[in-house]
Amino acid sequence: MTALISSNPLTAPPVARRQPGARQRSTRLGSVFAPLVAIVVLVAIWQIASWASPLRADLFPSPVMVFQKLPALLADGSLVSATAISLWRALSGYVIAVLIATPIALILAHWAALRRGLGPLVSAMQVLPSIAWVPAAIILFGLSDATIYTVLLLGAIPSIINGLLSGVDMIPPQYRALSQVLGASRWQHIIHVELPAALPGYVGGLRQGWAFAWRSLMAAELIAVGGSLAPGIGSLLQRGRDLADLPLVMLVILSILLVGILIELLIFAPLERRLLQNRGLARAGEEKSG
Amino acid sequence: MSIELNEVSLSYGGDELVLDSISTQIHDGEFVAVLGASGCGKSSLLNVIAGLLPPSDGWLQVPDDGAAFMFQDANLLPWLTAAANIELALKLCDYPAGQRAARVRQLLELVQLDHAGDRKPHELSGGMRQRVALARSLAQDRQVLLMDEPFAALDAITRDMLHEQLHSLWAATGKTIVFVTHNVREAIRLAERILVLSSRPGRIIEIRRISDTLRNDPAHSVALADELTTILRREQMKNDRVDQL
Ligand SMILES: Nc1ncnc2c1ncn2[C@@H]1O[C@H](COP(=O)(O)OP(=O)(O)O)[C@@H](O)[C@H]1O
Ligand SMILES: [Mg+2]
């Protein structure tokens, strides 16, 4: 925050509008470039290790072997269709999770007694690995989409609830005083002050909720295979295991990573950056890590 | 009568009284300064008058429609532009929707910020933010305006300008203003009456009327400033001694 004082304060001082300068562009480039370098180094180490390793090549495939497998996997369409199926499940399940979690969080934020009762439970659910739900869901719903969505929702909802709750908790108390002196009703306070003030925390929760949704989905797909279930990426992983096809397993793991990271980079990172910039909380081009 | 306090006391839990039996009457259209060392309970008193804190003892009477309040730090909402911050105040006091934009423009002009309405708070200087806050408290259009050290964080030149603006605004609108400050010269310059608050507990220990003649007589106002400064210093030292115990 800059306090600019001009000789005549009643005329406009120069506004601190930041021009996207060369320096910022280079830091932005660096934030893409640095991870790329890290990946290249890691792959190189992997390659050298596979040369040096006494293990049989099928037990410790080199990166070259793994990527040689890629064209065939793309050609028969199984990787693409599995990714599409999983991505659809993840996104639709995630939207449902957001729609369920948001009102629950708002109720908890405004009902202290309920929060004292349920708050610890929600936090505990966030700690519980969602793979633990899979057997119960299979017993209840069999090998169906309902099983997959149940696990995904149980994984994502608690973290979105906690994100919104912590966003509300972090609202500066003077905003409440402001609402009060402006004569806002409880609802007006929630709509005009509380929700927008909680937005950064909420988006943080949404971001974490996405990570939980995607992980839970993989856990569910890995175990719940067959039945009426369309094969997602998780079941492709299971197939790799059945065939003892380590290159296939590695490729699927990389795809899972790639999808998670792409959603993060394309949706959440820009959303969070825009939000913070909008409030003067982050410099243009500054990357928020985490 | 605009505001009446009768034996108002306040403690934040614990035994220590922050405000001790404050009684005063503030007339319609009066400009009163509450002067005191930092930590003596000025903000607490203003919060009680604003209805943000209930008094622990005593009673007070304020106009039914409450009071507009200007916070020490502008307390603007950072996701709204200057204009939108002001508009929110209009919306919350049910100002007709169709006339809001025009009223916002009027208020921005009043604080000479008509060019800056579309800027976010973080794009404004400290003085500009305070002026937006002033415009917002005027948007409420209440008879009473409570101001908590509104200009304390500003440089002398900006403060000077805002003093002039506030004074002419008060003269033009006839609002009742309660202005909290630790700045003796500011109090003498603006107020018709100064209430001096002691420290620990906060009691009214001096009441001074400031006539225009006194205000415009340099020798007199300097003498008064010296006298009040001595009182404040004594109270501040009392405060510091208690802190050391
Ligand atoms: N919310 C609070 N809880 C407990 N003590 C408080 C609170 N607010 C203020 N105080 C105490 O009350 C005293 C007066 O504070 P305040 O009214 O802010 O003084 P001033 O505005 O004159 O600087 C101080 O000693 C301060 O520590
Ligand atoms: Mg104060």
Side-chain angles (χ1 to χ4, degrees):
Chain A
M1 227 171 265
T2 34
L4 290 162
I5 309 295
S6 72
S7 57
N8 179 354
L10 295 185
T11 64
V15 181
R17 287 201 203 284
R18 295 182 183 86
Q19 308 292 333
R23 209 187 123 74
Q24 268 164 15
R25 222 168 290 133
S26 74
T27 50
R28 197 134 179 197
L29 248 179
S31 71
V32 177
F33 199 63
L36 274 181
V37 170
I39 289 171
V40 168
V41 169
L42 283 176
V43 171
I45 292 174
W46 174 11
Q47 180 69 51
I48 293 167
S50 73
W51 280 329
S53 159
L55 288 172
R56 277 189 355 238
D58 59 329
L59 292 181
F60 190 178
S62 70
V64 173
M65 280 177 65
V66 169
F67 288 111
Q68 270 169 354
K69 179 120 190 136
L70 189 59
L73 203 59
L74 289 176
D76 77 359
S78 55
L79 184 60
V80 175
S81 78
T83 306
I85 288 168
S86 291
L87 200 56
W88 164 249
R89 281 176 182 154
L91 291 177
S92 57
Y94 177 68
V95 169
I96 297 169
V98 171
L99 293 179
I100 295 175
T102 304
I104 293 179
L106 285 180
I107 291 170
L108 288 180
H110 286 273
W111 196 351
L114 198 65
R115 183 169 177 187
R116 269 196 299 279
L118 292 182
L121 236 64
V122 173
S123 297
M125 275 187 52
Q126 203 181 346
V127 174
L128 185 73
S130 43
I131 198 165
W133 294 111
V134 179
I138 292 180
I139 293 172
L140 276 172
F141 302 113
L143 294 175
S144 69
D145 270 333
T147 294
I148 302 273
Y149 280 105
T150 303
V151 174
L152 188 154
L153 292 179
L154 287 171
I157 287 175
S159 66
I160 300 173
I161 291 180
N162 272 337
L164 188 47
L165 279 178
S166 71
V168 172
D169 289 343
M170 283 186 321
I171 297 174
Q174 74 253 27
Y175 289 171
R176 176 163 286 285
L178 176 67
S179 279
Q180 222 169 321
V181 299
L182 292 182
S185 68
R186 194 183 166 102
W187 267 114
Q188 285 173 322
H189 171 70
I190 292 175
I191 303 271
H192 295 297
V193 178
E194 186 176 284
L195 282 180
L199 204 53
Y202 183 47
V203 171
L206 289 180
R207 187 178 190 167
Q208 208 187 13
W210 164 254
F212 275 79
W214 186 238
R215 280 193 239 176
S216 309
L217 176 67
M218 290 306 115
E221 285 186 348
L222 189 58
I223 300 183
V225 180
S228 65
L229 279 170
I233 303 191
S235 54
L236 205 56
L237 205 55
Q238 184 58 28
R239 193 172 91 198
R241 180 193 154 180
D242 291 343
L243 300 174
D245 186 345
L246 204 47
L248 173 61
V249 169
M250 298 294 295
L251 275 177
V252 174
I253 290 176
L254 288 176
S255 315
I256 294 172
L257 259 175
L258 198 68
V259 171
I261 291 174
L262 278 181
I263 297 281
E264 165 83 22
L265 282 182
L266 294 180
I267 298 177
F268 291 105
L271 190 65
E272 212 163 30
R273 187 158 2 112
R274 271 262 294 286
L275 201 66
L276 293 179
Q277 263 173 38
N278 200 19
R279 297 166 186 223
L281 294 174
R283 262 176 286 127
E286 190 176 87
E287 292 289 338
K288 194 176 172 287
S289 56
Chain B
M1 196 73 55
S2 212
I3 300 171
E4 182 172 2
L5 287 87
N6 188 64
E7 305 275 317
V8 166
S9 296
L10 177 78
S11 71
Y12 289 100
D15 299 334
E16 199 190 13
L17 277 182
V18 173
L19 299 175
D20 185 13
S21 307
I22 305 269
S23 296
T24 189
Q25 300 181 338
I26 297 168
H27 297 279
D28 221 21
E30 198 180 9
F31 197 135
V32 172
V34 176
L35 181 66
S38 73
C40 75
K42 302 183 298 294
S43 295
S44 304
L45 177 61
L46 213 58
N47 286 337
V48 168
I49 298 175
L52 294 170
L53 277 176
S56 318
D57 210 351
W59 53 266
L60 69 156
Q61 206 174 345
V62 291
D64 288 336
D65 65 343
F69 198 102
M70 189 172 163
F71 296 87
Q72 178 162 3
D73 56 339
N75 202 0
L76 300 173
L77 299 176
W79 58 89
L80 296 179
T81 61
N85 265 287
I86 297 169
E87 192 181 347
L88 180 62
L90 290 173
K91 183 186 269 173
L92 292 179
C93 59
D94 297 324
Y95 201 85
Q99 298 162 34
R100 272 180 218 152
R103 179 70 182 139
V104 167
R105 231 172 299 123
Q106 234 174 29
L107 286 162
L108 279 170
E109 256 165 53
L110 189 69
V111 294
Q112 299 174 35
L113 279 178
D114 29 329
H115 55 282
D118 59 350
R119 291 197 212 156
K120 294 276 172 59
H122 69 274
E123 298 171 314
L124 300 171
S125 70
M128 293 164 90
R129 278 200 292 271
Q130 261 343 76
R131 276 184 278 152
V132 176
L134 178 60
R136 180 177 65 186
S137 55
L138 296 175
Q140 292 180 264
D141 200 24
R142 305 268 159 83
Q143 168 58 22
V144 176
L145 175 56
L146 306 175
M147 309 178 85
D148 189 359
E149 307 206 41
F151 309 139
L154 305 181
D155 65 290
I157 301 164
T158 310
R159 195 186 308 142
D160 219 49
M161 294 281 183
L162 288 171
H163 283 165
E164 248 164 61
Q165 268 181 294
L166 180 62
H167 187 85
S168 49
L169 205 136
W170 169 68
T173 59
K175 282 186 186 298
T176 312
I177 297 181
V178 181
F179 187 103
V180 158
T181 181
H182 65 260
N183 183 329
V184 174
R185 304 233 312 265
E186 186 171 55
I188 295 174
R189 166 151 193 196
L190 291 171
E192 294 178 291
R193 186 155 59 110
I194 300 178
L195 309 177
V196 183
L197 229 54
S198 65
S199 295
R200 297 178 190 249
R203 286 195 189 108
I204 297 180
I205 49 169
E206 290 277 346
I207 301 173
R208 293 301 171 93
R209 291 202 168 275
I210 315 291
S211 63
D212 277 339
T213 1
L214 187 151
R215 208 189 320 271
N216 297 325
D217 176 349
H220 261 94
S221 54
V222 166
L224 178 60
D226 283 347
E227 190 191 340
L228 292 177
T229 304
T230 311
I231 296 174
L232 285 196
R233 224 175 254 151
R234 195 183 65 213
E235 291 301 320
Q236 183 71 63
M237 269 158 59
K238 200 171 88 191
N239 218 349
D240 295 345
R241 260 204 309 280
V242 175
D243 275 334
Q244 279 163 14
L245 292 180

